[in-house]
């Protein structure tokens, strides 16, 4: 009798369109980008903790799969993909995605050798240096414009760790990196020996807001709106602060 009642209730809910596991679970892609995201991090990282909390307050769940960055973006953009977006991302002009409200922020700077700091006042001054960037990452609008036109010498790699090693070895003058990411990585055992040689340049490129990029479809926009409603009901700064300190 109990089993029959449970089955009847499930059928009623399904027919009313109130609840199915798939409909209530948002699937997104992300990458290993500590302390913001990563499968092995506490709460899977600060950005993912914020996203999960925002959806939970709206009665929904979050499922995140981790890929190299370029693949994470590609999978989220495919029309028949189960993924409706990817994160964390900086805002940029695009017709493929719509962006959530900010899920936090992070200062974007240049990692350099302490013995050979980069000197600049205007972003154009950086043209005399070779900068490391991560392939397919959005930097700042001004810097990306100079890179696309060829006036800014750059070398692209697949990870922040690779750029850190190249700067330490003197193979490039500096590399674009999130300050929180640099601090986290230099505390990890493989990169600890480089910490004494490196620093963040005295000037920050930008204080960048982080977002979820939802696919620009009816379903993607629906989830964006749901997410934004939940985001307004949680304390983003507290969630991020607790996890960043924990990573420290």
């Amino acid at each position: 009798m109990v089993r029959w009642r449970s089955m009847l209730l499930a059928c009623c809910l399904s027919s009313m369109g109130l609840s199915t596991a798939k409909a209530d679970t948002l699937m997104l892609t992300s990458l290993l980008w500590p302390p913001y995201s990563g499968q092995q991090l506490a709460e899977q990282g600060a950005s993912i903790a914020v996203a999960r909390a925002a959806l939970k307050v709206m009665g929904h769940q979050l499922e995140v799969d981790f890929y190299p960055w370029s693949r994470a973006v590609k999978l989220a953009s495919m029309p028949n993909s189960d993924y409706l977006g990817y994160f964390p991302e900086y805002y940029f002009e695009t017709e493929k995605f719509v962006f959530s409200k900010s899920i936090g922020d992070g200062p974007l700077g240049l990692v350099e050798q302490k013995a050979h700091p980069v000197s600049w006042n205007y972003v154009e001054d950086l043209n005399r240096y070779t900068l490391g960037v991560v392939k397919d990452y959005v930097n700042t609008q001004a810097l990306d414009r100079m890179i696309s036109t060829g006036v800014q010498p750059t070398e692209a790699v697949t990870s922040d760790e690779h750029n850190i090693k190249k700067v330490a070895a003197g193979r490039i003058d500096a590399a674009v990196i999130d300050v929180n990411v640099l601090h986290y990585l230099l505390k990890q055992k493989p990169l600890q020996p480089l910490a004494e040689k490196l620093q963040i340049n005295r000037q920050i490129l930008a204080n960048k807001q982080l977002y979820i990029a939802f696919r620009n479809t009816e379903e993607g926009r629906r989830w964006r709106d749901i997410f934004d409603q939940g985001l307004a009901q949680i304390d983003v700064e507290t969630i991020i602060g607790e996890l960043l300190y924990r990573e420290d």
Side-chain angles (χ1 to χ4, degrees):
M1 177 66 75
V2 173
R3 182 181 178 186
W4 180 84
R5 286 178 177 173
S6 297
M7 291 175 64
L8 179 61
L9 178 60
C11 289
C12 289
L13 289 172
S14 179
S15 64
M16 293 168 64
L18 293 179
S19 175
T20 65
K22 186 174 182 181
D24 287 341
T25 300
L26 173 63
M27 295 185 65
L28 300 173
T29 62
S30 190
L31 79 162
L32 176 61
W33 197 44
Y36 299 112
S37 57
Q39 199 164 11
Q40 304 305 319
L41 301 176
E43 307 294 333
Q44 295 188 320
S47 292
I48 292 178
V50 167
R52 185 166 282 117
L55 288 168
K56 183 178 181 180
V57 80
M58 297 297 291
H60 301 299
Q61 297 179 339
L62 174 65
E63 183 176 328
V64 181
D65 290 331
F66 296 87
Y67 300 95
W69 184 239
S70 298
R71 181 161 173 76
V73 176
K74 182 178 180 180
L75 286 171
S77 66
M78 294 170 62
N80 297 323
S81 173
D82 289 332
Y83 304 111
L84 284 174
Y86 71 96
F87 76 121
E89 175 62 288
Y90 300 136
Y91 177 82
F92 64 99
E93 294 292 336
T94 177
E95 294 183 357
K96 291 183 178 181
F97 298 97
V98 292
F99 292 86
S100 67
K101 299 292 186 183
S102 174
I103 59 172
D105 58 17
L108 190 69
L110 296 170
V111 57
E112 62 189 8
Q113 286 193 18
K114 292 179 180 178
H116 303 285
V118 170
S119 177
W120 64 288
N121 293 309
Y122 304 98
V123 68
E124 292 80 10
D125 297 338
L126 295 173
N127 294 169
R128 60 177 176 263
Y129 300 104
T130 298
L131 304 181
V133 295
V134 177
K135 185 177 182 291
D136 294 332
Y137 276 22
V138 175
N139 301 296
T140 69
Q141 194 172 47
L143 187 57
D144 285 337
R145 187 184 304 114
M146 293 193 305
I147 293 171
S148 66
T149 57
V151 299
Q152 175 60 60
T154 58
E155 293 185 12
V157 296
T158 57
S159 70
D160 287 308
E161 292 93 332
H162 195 173
N163 268 336
I164 291 171
K165 293 175 182 177
K166 289 178 70 174
V167 173
R171 293 167 56 194
I172 51 179
D173 298 302
V176 182
I177 193 169
D178 179 285
V179 175
N180 291 325
V181 172
L182 177 66
H183 289 165
Y184 177 90
L185 292 175
L186 289 181
K187 291 177 181 177
Q188 307 311 303
K189 192 171 182 179
L191 296 179
Q192 277 182 359
L194 305 182
E196 291 185 358
K197 295 182 63 175
L198 302 175
Q199 65 184 12
I200 280 288
N201 182 263
R202 59 182 179 82
Q203 279 191 226
I204 296 298
L205 289 166
N207 193 45
K208 302 279 285 186
Q209 299 297 310
L210 300 172
Y211 305 91
I212 296 178
F214 289 91
R215 198 157 67 236
N216 191 12
T217 61
E218 183 177 354
E219 185 70 355
R221 293 188 295 271
R222 183 180 76 85
W223 273 107
R224 188 271 312 273
D225 293 343
I226 290 171
F227 179 81
D228 284 351
Q229 290 177 47
L231 194 64
Q233 300 178 53
I234 63 171
D235 188 338
V236 174
E237 289 187 4
T238 296
I239 294 171
I240 291 175
E242 289 177 353
L243 283 167
L244 290 184
Y245 287 131
R246 185 185 301 184
E247 297 302 340
D248 286 340

